[in-house]
Amino acid sequence: MQSNTSDSPTVLVVDDDPKIRRLVAAHMSQQGFSVELAATGEEALEKAPLHQPAAVVLDISMPGIGGFEALERLREWYTDPVIILSATDQEREKVRALDLGADDYVTKPFGTEELAARLRAAIRRAERLSAPDNQSDPVVDATDFKIDLAARLVYKDDEEVRLTRTEFDLLRTLAVDAGKVLTHRHLLQEVWGPEYGAETEYLRTFVKQLRRKLENDPSRPRRILTEPGVGYRLFLE
Amino acid sequence: MQSNTSDSPTVLVVDDDPKIRRLVAAHMSQQGFSVELAATGEEALEKAPLHQPAAVVLDISMPGIGGFEALERLREWYTDPVIILSATDQEREKVRALDLGADDYVTKPFGTEELAARLRAAIRRAERLSAPDNQSDPVVDATDFKIDLAARLVYKDDEEVRLTRTEFDLLRTLAVDAGKVLTHRHLLQEVWGPEYGAETEYLRTFVKQLRRKLENDPSRPRRILTEPGVGYRLFLE
DNA sequence: GGGCGCTCTCACGGATTCGTCACGCTCATG
DNA sequence: CATGAGCGTGACGAATCCGTGAGAGCGCCC
């Protein structure tokens, strides 16, 4: 997937019929997708690189650049799923579209739930592809130590460090905004909950623990820095 | 893809109707696939790990283990495409199958050319995913013990260990994300269902059982580790 | 219907972790 | 140089979490 993996995936819907566009747009956004629209093949080829959608829903019969040509041109660079929408049920067309690189082929009239499910399935597959999880997850690297956020593990000099729950939560909060100064209030609310904010003693205690376990010279911290009167920040080289 | 990438890809066709089996087998081998056949869900679950097919074509309505259950059980370890065959065109069923991990859903009667094209498309995608390496070997090796995800069997020191259903499901959940810390909530939802999440007593009971059966010294676990306040993790190597 | 195996429940130590606190240090300020 | 706020430090009791064993309930197969 090429776009925002975190929030709702964007789907580019291409159809010359305004009714279909509205119908699909309404149902797909209701099903949790962000929707972009295009009325022609030309517009689709313009908007696709712009929005980097997680999938494209493409009508076959359109004036100008038709669905087949749009599909071919898209596939020159676009590797995420393309689902063909078509009014005809002809096997020839299906075979042609699929062999041109389409991921799926849905015939009008279609169920919106089904289309959504097929989109989910296609995007799910594409996500696995773009995340080549050969064992290693995204790792925050602080030279002295490394944090594997997905595995919830921390290494210092390639040796695993045992952190308690709160210690890790605090370190993670510092790490996701590494370099920035995070206020006492922000850290407390993030780790202990929204009803906290004034308990700076907690921070002192756990920052000390983290330094003891992670700093080369805990009495002279170089990674977890104090910003007097404000908060702390994690310094990555 | 898990099997012979060079010659014609193997497709496992599962249907209780001999006519359909013959029909599909004839056309698919004509289209350049090697075909393996299974008449029931049980047989499919046996043959799939044996032949490591590049894709599975699965009928929904079968006596005994139906298509849905077969799909679920397959997806515990099988990552290559599964295309559902069904006599009914009901949207509910399509959505359910696709959300259970099916890659495509084809309604009977179907064009054999179309099925072949959908198979080609699905296999083409899967090939991109499993580039050079052997992808997820259905056997997880933890030196002390081995887990055969497809056969649902566990060996300790090359002797088979009898695990109950829940014990195995828990071990499998730990194994597919081996090395990572998995939260109580994640484990509970994965093994007991999405409506669970707070029942940590279950975990304690079943982790204890797993340790009793798999650890060399159950009182000093080296494989199934506790992360206090967070969850558990399976430690390999 | 009886027996068996499995899941779920529960209560009790024991171990770990968390929150608390007092004290001493540092640094900016007047 | 005195002062005080803010922070680091270490220790300790309380709260939490975990392992353990036993047993009740339940479904399944003989």
Side-chain angles (χ1 to χ4, degrees):
Chain A
M1 244 190 348
Q2 315 215 10
S3 67
N4 37 352
T5 44
S6 49
D7 17 302
S8 55
T10 302
V11 176
L12 177 62
V13 177
V14 190
D15 201 308
D16 59 325
D17 184 345
K19 275 190 199 158
I20 301 266
R21 282 207 302 277
R22 272 200 298 275
L23 174 79
V24 175
H27 281 92
M28 292 309 111
S29 50
Q30 189 191 330
Q31 294 264 354
F33 297 103
S34 298
V35 179
E36 289 291 332
L37 295 175
T40 64
E42 290 86 344
E43 202 184 334
L45 292 172
E46 260 177 51
K47 285 204 167 176
L50 223 63
H51 295 99
Q52 301 280 343
V56 175
V57 176
L58 182 62
D59 183 34
I60 277 293
S61 63
M62 292 183 294
I65 293 185
F68 284 119
E69 193 183 339
L71 173 60
E72 266 189 293
R73 302 263 305 267
L74 264 180
R75 276 292 178 244
E76 289 171 6
W77 61 273
Y78 186 75
T79 55
D80 280 328
V82 176
I83 297 184
I84 299 294
L85 268 188
S86 166
T88 87
D89 199 20
Q90 286 179 23
E91 196 169 12
R92 281 198 100 86
E93 284 217 348
K94 295 191 190 178
V95 174
R96 186 168 161 218
L98 291 167
D99 283 344
L100 274 179
D103 287 70
D104 207 338
Y105 189 103
V106 177
T107 310
K108 300 178 193 174
F110 54 90
T112 49
E113 303 257 349
E114 176 186 349
L115 182 59
R118 287 188 183 270
L119 271 172
R120 279 195 299 274
I123 291 173
R124 185 209 311 138
R125 282 191 304 259
E127 262 174 351
R128 271 198 316 170
L129 190 78
S130 67
D133 45 295
N134 19 356
Q135 223 78 7
S136 58
D137 318 289
V139 169
V140 177
D141 192 336
T143 57
D144 292 349
F145 57 89
K146 300 187 205 315
I147 313 167
D148 187 334
L149 293 176
R152 220 192 153 88
L153 294 175
V154 178
Y155 304 89
K156 167 158 165 89
D157 307 327
D158 290 326
E159 293 219 357
E160 202 186 305
V161 179
R162 265 183 51 88
L163 293 190
T164 68
R165 182 167 61 85
T166 329
E167 285 163 10
F168 182 87
D169 288 347
L170 179 57
L171 179 63
R172 182 189 44 206
T173 312
L174 287 165
V176 295
D177 282 319
K180 295 184 187 173
V181 179
L182 301 179
T183 62
H184 297 137
R185 163 169 234 81
H186 179 248
L187 292 169
L188 284 162
Q189 294 191 343
E190 205 67 30
V191 176
W192 278 268
E195 64 272 31
Y196 291 79
E199 298 77 355
T200 55
E201 333 87 63
Y202 298 8
L203 289 177
R204 275 188 272 144
T205 307
F206 283 94
V207 163
K208 160 148 195 306
Q209 286 291 79
L210 283 178
R211 284 175 174 155
R212 189 173 66 77
K213 293 183 177 178
L214 297 176
E215 295 275 2
N216 286 325
D217 179 358
S219 65
R220 224 154 288 152
R222 302 181 51 83
R223 298 275 97 100
I224 302 172
L225 305 181
T226 306
E227 298 291 329
V230 184
Y232 296 88
R233 69 187 234 254
L234 183 66
F235 184 68
L236 308 178
E237 202 62 19
Chain B
M1 238 182 358
Q2 316 216 9
S3 67
N4 35 352
T5 43
S6 50
D7 18 302
S8 54
T10 301
V11 175
L12 176 62
V13 177
V14 190
D15 201 309
D16 59 326
D17 184 344
K19 276 187 199 161
I20 302 263
R21 281 206 304 277
R22 271 200 299 275
L23 174 79
V24 175
H27 281 90
M28 292 309 112
S29 50
Q30 189 190 329
Q31 294 264 355
F33 297 104
S34 297
V35 178
E36 289 291 331
L37 295 175
T40 64
E42 290 86 342
E43 203 184 333
L45 292 173
E46 263 177 46
K47 285 203 168 179
L50 224 61
H51 299 287
Q52 302 280 336
V56 175
V57 175
L58 182 62
D59 182 34
I60 276 293
S61 62
M62 292 183 294
I65 293 186
F68 284 119
E69 193 184 338
L71 173 60
E72 262 189 298
R73 298 271 306 269
L74 266 179
R75 276 292 177 246
E76 289 172 5
W77 61 273
Y78 186 74
T79 54
D80 281 328
V82 176
I83 297 184
I84 298 293
L85 269 188
S86 166
T88 85
D89 198 23
Q90 287 178 21
E91 196 169 11
R92 281 198 102 84
E93 285 216 346
K94 296 191 191 180
V95 173
R96 184 167 164 221
L98 291 167
D99 283 343
L100 274 179
D103 287 69
D104 206 338
Y105 189 104
V106 177
T107 309
K108 300 179 192 174
F110 54 91
T112 49
E113 303 260 346
E114 177 184 349
L115 181 59
R118 287 188 181 272
L119 270 172
R120 279 196 299 276
I123 290 173
R124 184 209 313 141
R125 283 191 305 258
E127 265 174 349
R128 275 198 310 165
L129 186 70
S130 61
D133 64 319
N134 48 330
Q135 184 58 8
S136 65
D137 191 346
V139 175
V140 177
D141 193 335
T143 57
D144 291 350
F145 57 89
K146 300 188 207 314
I147 313 165
D148 187 335
L149 294 176
R152 283 186 85 88
L153 290 176
V154 177
Y155 304 89
K156 166 154 166 93
D157 307 326
D158 291 325
E159 294 212 1
E160 195 182 318
V161 180
R162 267 183 53 85
L163 293 190
T164 69
R165 185 169 56 81
T166 318
E167 285 164 9
F168 182 85
D169 287 346
L170 179 57
L171 180 63
R172 170 168 49 78
T173 311
L174 287 164
V176 295
D177 281 320
K180 294 185 185 178
V181 178
L182 302 180
T183 62
H184 297 136
R185 164 167 293 278
H186 177 92
L187 293 168
L188 285 162
Q189 294 193 340
E190 206 66 30
V191 175
W192 278 269
E195 65 271 31
Y196 291 80
E199 299 78 356
T200 54
E201 332 87 62
Y202 298 8
L203 290 177
R204 274 187 273 145
T205 308
F206 283 93
V207 163
K208 167 152 191 302
Q209 287 292 78
L210 283 178
R211 282 175 174 156
R212 189 173 65 76
K213 294 182 178 179
L214 297 176
E215 294 275 1
N216 287 325
D217 180 358
S219 67
R220 221 156 299 161
R222 301 182 53 81
R223 299 272 94 103
I224 303 172
L225 305 181
T226 307
E227 298 289 329
V230 183
Y232 295 88
R233 69 190 238 247
L234 184 66
F235 185 71
L236 304 179
E237 175 187 354

